[in-house]
Amino acid sequence: MKYLKPWWSDGGGLLHLTILLSLAGLRVDLDLYLLLPPPTLLRDEFLLLGCPTSSAYALSPFPASGGWGRAGQLHPKGRESDLAALSEGQLFRELCALGVPFIPRTRVDAWLVHSVAAGDADGARGLLGSAAAASSSAVEVGASVDGGSQEATGGGGDPHEARSGPLATGEEQKAPAEPTSDMLDAGGRASEEIEVLRERCEAVGYSSQHEENEPRVSTLRESLQPNNKNKQNKADKPAWETEKTAKSRRHLNGTDPSLCLEDLFQLLSSQPENSLEGISLGDIPLLSSGSEVMNSSAHYNMNFSQAISQDVSLHEAMLLCPNNTFRRDPVKRTSQPQEPFLQLNFPTNPEQTNLTGFLPPVDNQMRNLTSQDLLYDLDVNIFDEINLMSLAADFDPVEVSQLFEEPDSDSGLSLNSSQGSSSVAKSNSSQSMYEEGAIGYSSDLDSFPHDLEGAVGGYSPEPICHRDHVIDSGFHDGVAFQHIFHNHTYHLQAESTSKYFSWPGMSQRVSRYLNDTDRNLSRDERRAKALHIPFSVEEIVCMPVDSFNNMLSRYNLTDLQVSLIRDIRRRGKNKVAAQNCRKRKLDIILNLEEDVCNLQAKKETLERERAQCNKAINIMKQKLHDLYHDVFRKLRDDQGRPVNPNHYALQCSHDGSVLIVPKELVTSGHKKENQKGKRKREKRN
DNA sequence: TGCGAATGTCATAGT
DNA sequence: CAACTATGACATTCG
């Protein structure tokens, strides 16, 4: 079978689950991949296998054949070959038809999942019994269980019969696992069988020390479990969980013939601590056989409670951040000491505005912020940005005049702008911010109070763009100043800070400094903002001319505003045109270079061909010369003397005959022909 | 500090 | 004629 490209390589998600469940009185390891919806549904790939797509999950081809290969460890002899008779595609189709949102990692897992999902308790139990029998040396109970199962079901544990349940019925197996009467009967038989099995287990010396359905594989395993967590958990559980637990047990006991894998998974996810002993994510070694279960039981016992109790979100599972530093743990974050960070408490009283207190010095700890902090704060800042939109202030005519005097050259329209990228690159580290802030952007910073500069340690205007968050957080709730360096989303900043903000009593210089983020805006954007033009530059530039004119007429705009809007539109369009022109020019140059290369290659080819032709011509000439002299060597005149090739020449006539002509006649004939040719050419001209 | 690349802007011709 | 595009030329920024 050909394995197609796994869809998770395109960004889909997949969780590796090793599930230990109690089924038919046996402890079973299921090694599964839980499918998470991929961003792009590779339906075509999936249908290539002839598998329908689940509504909730996109099923995919098996990730690799390696997991299947290990299934042989679990199979008893003879069983493996039977299972192997099914192609992976066939088995997988069965699972798909049953809506199983898992990719089993092993063939046995797939088979078990299939049996359970199809409500075939006999098949599942038979498989388990076979598996246990296969590892009877290590799991003595398993052998008894296997035998009991076979007795009780009249060979129900036989792998062949197990397979004949869901698979051999052809189209029936593709129907949803509805509880039919047969299944109910099977379920009833199953419960009876379980009781028989339990009795047999006790008869061979295995006494259950736990709950009636406590999974058990061996006494060794039991001994390796120091704490029976289930008991404790059960005591602590609310009523609804207890009810669910009972339901899950009914499922897991096989008494509910309508058991399907989705139910199972819901149970697993809803109360994993009780219904399962272990779900571990990540690189848990594949457990395929009973012996392996035993050997790794210590690992599980150590891991179960931890693994189950962890609230693993999909985000975390996808990120797989080793230290869980991405986790949004408000308690953890708020519990972090805040002292190292700058505190900002804006006084509501304008008289208390103290610049020195406003921007305290930056210490080294601030420079040592981790990347996780940066990421976290970036998200936080984005939300802060939203809050900032409510902080619009009034129009400042002084600012307008200054803006229109600014000499910098920057446009309002950012087209995949390198401006943004450069800004981001520039602010990739706090260190660089300091350095650049110390040397750059002198024009406006020169007018900025030095005490403030000193207070912030030479901030560049770009980090100052984070003042949004500073003001927001500091002004409203006194949150620390820690986010000031962390937001790298300068584009978003530019978008969201399109309004001025201030508060009563804020000094003009502080306002100017804080609003110096406008340097991140283009000149036109700043101008538009200063004139309170109610459209974005992008709108102005990209809008169709009709809409543009309607917009101008609909709004009551001043002449200055209209003029600026038209200039913005003209410049923006011209900027695009210039970029297109340059791109076109570059393309032309590249095409010309390509043409030059092609022509050079063609020239070389032609030269090679010419050399070959010349070589062939020379060979032909040589052959002709040899032939010529060979003919003359053999020629004899009337007296039988050889003909001198210097006096005579061979001449081919039109009818193919060859004449021996004196060279004098040949040369005169050539002269006449040349003259005729000349006359003809002259006539043509 | 000079240099070159990238980009914005203006003027102008063309569509 | 207005609007837009294309392009050369110049200025500015930045690495």
Side-chain angles (χ1 to χ4, degrees):
Chain A
M1 176 178 182
K2 179 183 178 183
Y3 287 96
L4 302 177
K5 183 184 75 171
W7 52 260
W8 57 81
S9 65
D10 287 343
L14 150 145
L15 284 177
H16 174 209
L17 302 175
T18 300
I19 302 175
L20 272 73
L21 55 87
S22 167
L23 180 65
L26 280 175
R27 191 192 192 98
V28 181
D29 295 310
L30 274 185
D31 218 22
L32 304 171
Y33 283 115
L34 167 63
L35 299 178
L36 305 176
T40 56
L41 181 65
L42 301 184
R43 187 186 184 88
D44 292 343
E45 289 188 3
F46 188 67
L47 291 180
L48 281 176
L49 288 172
C51 302
T53 51
S54 166
S55 59
Y57 298 97
L59 297 174
S60 77
F62 289 97
S65 58
W68 291 83
R70 287 188 252 178
Q73 301 169 8
L74 181 62
H75 293 304
K77 289 180 180 178
R79 169 68 178 173
E80 180 179 357
S81 59
D82 291 330
L83 286 174
L86 278 180
S87 72
E88 294 166 3
Q90 286 175 319
L91 199 48
F92 190 65
R93 272 192 291 275
E94 296 294 333
L95 296 176
C96 295
L98 294 168
V100 174
F102 301 107
I103 297 178
R105 289 192 63 190
T106 69
R107 187 176 280 272
V108 163
D109 286 345
W111 181 246
L112 183 60
V113 165
H114 177 279
S115 300
V116 174
D120 181 19
D122 289 351
R125 198 167 43 250
L127 182 69
L128 294 178
S130 302
S135 55
S136 59
S137 61
V139 188
E140 55 185 82
V141 177
S144 301
V145 167
D146 185 27
S149 172
Q150 292 192 17
E151 286 178 16
T153 59
D158 182 62
H160 293 275
E161 289 213 2
R163 201 184 78 180
S164 66
L167 287 182
T169 52
E171 294 299 322
E172 300 171 7
Q173 68 216 5
K174 294 185 179 177
E178 304 250 341
T180 63
S181 59
D182 292 342
M183 290 178 178
L184 290 170
D185 293 341
R189 289 197 307 272
S191 60
E192 296 172 4
E193 293 161 15
I194 290 168
E195 292 302 321
V196 173
L197 296 177
R198 192 166 294 118
E199 292 172 1
R200 286 182 173 273
C201 289
E202 292 171 355
V204 296
Y206 181 90
S207 62
S208 173
Q209 302 173 2
H210 306 288
E211 297 288 330
E212 53 178 340
N213 292 312
E214 174 68 17
R216 48 187 181 261
V217 174
S218 68
T219 53
L220 173 60
R221 186 189 193 92
E222 293 292 336
S223 66
L224 286 173
Q225 290 181 320
N227 299 321
N228 188 345
K229 217 173 178 180
N230 283 0
K231 285 184 178 177
Q232 182 183 354
N233 291 335
K234 186 183 178 183
D236 298 335
K237 276 198 172 71
W240 64 272
E241 280 194 357
T242 309
E243 184 180 347
K244 273 193 168 184
T245 307
K247 184 185 175 185
S248 72
R249 286 182 177 144
R250 283 197 300 273
H251 279 297
L252 295 176
N253 274 334
T255 55
D256 188 346
S258 63
L259 172 69
C260 68
L261 250 291
E262 287 182 353
D263 294 337
L264 180 60
F265 181 72
Q266 286 174 1
L267 290 169
L268 301 182
S269 57
S270 62
Q271 42 169 325
E273 290 182 72
N274 198 38
S275 59
L276 294 178
E277 280 198 352
I279 298 178
S280 57
L281 303 176
D283 296 326
I284 293 176
L286 178 67
L287 299 178
S288 299
S289 67
S291 58
E292 289 185 20
V293 169
M294 288 184 57
N295 292 336
S296 59
S297 59
H299 163 72
Y300 272 142
N301 292 332
M302 181 179 59
N303 219 4
F304 290 159
S305 58
Q306 300 170 0
I308 295 171
S309 61
Q310 282 182 357
D311 181 15
V312 181
S313 67
L314 288 185
H315 178 72
E316 291 166 347
M318 301 284 279
L319 282 180
L320 291 175
C321 181
N323 297 325
N324 286 334
T325 48
F326 280 27
R327 181 173 296 181
R328 301 290 187 266
D329 187 352
V331 176
K332 182 182 175 184
R333 291 203 62 88
T334 52
S335 65
Q336 289 174 351
Q338 299 289 336
E339 287 77 12
F341 300 108
L342 297 168
Q343 300 287 337
L344 178 62
N345 293 308
F346 279 93
T348 53
N349 184 353
E351 299 299 325
Q352 297 174 3
T353 305
N354 185 347
L355 293 180
T356 307
F358 164 50
L359 293 173
V362 181
D363 58 18
N364 288 333
Q365 296 183 24
M366 194 158 182
R367 306 182 187 204
N368 293 333
L369 295 174
T370 64
S371 58
Q372 286 79 18
D373 289 326
L374 294 175
L375 287 170
Y376 171 78
D377 292 330
L378 187 144
D379 287 353
V380 171
N381 290 336
I382 289 174
F383 288 107
D384 289 344
E385 292 284 351
I386 299 172
N387 296 330
L388 268 179
M389 298 305 289
S390 61
L391 290 174
D394 293 329
F395 161 71
D396 183 2
V398 178
E399 285 259 359
V400 175
S401 61
Q402 289 173 346
L403 285 168
F404 280 79
E405 289 169 4
E406 286 178 5
D408 67 337
S409 169
D410 201 354
S411 174
L413 192 62
S414 176
L415 303 160
N416 299 326
S417 157
S418 63
Q419 182 185 354
S421 59
S422 63
S423 299
V424 170
K426 213 187 301 178
S427 57
N428 270 341
S429 67
S430 302
Q431 191 64 34
S432 66
M433 291 178 193
Y434 298 124
E435 292 168 355
E436 292 188 18
I439 61 174
Y441 300 99
S442 61
S443 59
D444 278 352
L445 281 176
D446 289 343
S447 63
F448 190 75
H450 290 293
D451 53 349
L452 190 58
E453 281 187 26
V456 299
Y459 281 157
S460 74
E462 284 167 336
I464 291 304
C465 71
H466 304 302
R467 82 207 186 282
D468 302 347
H469 321 300
V470 173
I471 301 304
D472 187 38
S473 56
F475 187 59
H476 288 291
D477 52 23
V479 173
F481 199 17
Q482 58 196 11
H483 306 323
I484 189 167
F485 289 126
H486 300 164
N487 195 327
H488 294 206
T489 57
Y490 290 97
H491 274 308
L492 295 177
Q493 296 276 352
E495 295 285 339
S496 59
T497 56
S498 57
K499 302 257 184 186
Y500 283 170
F501 55 88
S502 64
W503 56 88
M506 186 173 88
S507 72
Q508 259 194 4
R509 302 185 86 181
V510 173
S511 175
R512 270 210 68 208
Y513 177 70
L514 294 178
N515 286 310
D516 201 33
T517 322
D518 297 345
R519 292 206 154 274
N520 288 324
L521 302 178
S522 68
R523 186 174 66 180
D524 281 340
E525 282 174 331
R526 274 175 277 145
R527 287 172 169 173
K529 195 171 76 174
L531 284 184
H532 277 199
I533 289 173
F535 324 109
S536 71
V537 170
E538 191 175 351
E539 282 176 334
I540 293 171
V541 174
C542 300
M543 193 177 291
V545 63
D546 291 341
S547 305
F548 179 72
N549 290 330
N550 288 337
M551 181 185 76
L552 291 183
S553 60
R554 195 164 56 245
Y555 287 82
N556 190 15
L557 300 171
T558 65
D559 291 344
L560 190 61
Q561 286 176 317
V562 172
S563 174
L564 177 61
I565 288 173
R566 291 192 179 279
D567 283 347
I568 288 173
R569 186 174 173 87
R570 176 178 50 79
R571 279 194 289 264
K573 286 194 173 297
N574 185 252
K575 186 195 294 183
V576 175
Q579 288 173 343
N580 289 335
C581 181
R582 284 165 178 149
K583 186 180 176 184
R584 206 163 27 241
K585 191 184 289 183
L586 201 62
D587 287 342
I588 290 173
I589 291 172
L590 292 176
N591 287 335
L592 287 174
E593 288 178 349
E594 190 177 344
D595 290 345
V596 168
C597 291
N598 291 336
L599 290 173
Q600 282 180 343
K602 194 171 183 178
K603 181 186 172 187
E604 290 176 359
T605 303
L606 291 173
E607 285 180 346
R608 280 197 299 270
E609 288 180 0
R610 189 176 71 175
Q612 290 176 352
C613 289
N614 287 336
K615 196 174 177 181
I617 288 172
N618 289 333
I619 293 172
M620 291 293 290
K621 281 183 178 177
Q622 186 61 41
K623 285 182 178 179
L624 183 63
H625 181 264
D626 295 342
L627 182 64
Y628 197 85
H629 286 277
D630 193 40
V631 169
F632 272 99
R633 253 198 318 274
K634 295 177 180 177
L635 281 178
R636 295 291 183 270
D637 59 6
D638 297 338
Q639 288 80 26
R641 292 172 299 182
V643 179
N644 188 351
N646 295 326
H647 297 160
Y648 296 92
L650 298 176
Q651 196 172 43
C652 295
S653 63
H654 294 291
D655 57 358
S657 60
V658 178
L659 304 174
I660 300 173
V661 182
K663 276 199 170 179
E664 296 174 354
L665 295 178
V666 173
T667 52
S668 62
H670 278 303
K671 285 180 183 177
K672 287 179 183 178
E673 285 182 0
N674 289 339
Q675 288 175 355
K676 285 181 184 178
K678 282 184 181 177
R679 285 172 195 166
K680 284 182 182 178
R681 283 185 223 120
E682 288 173 359
K683 284 180 183 178
R684 286 175 194 167
N685 297 334

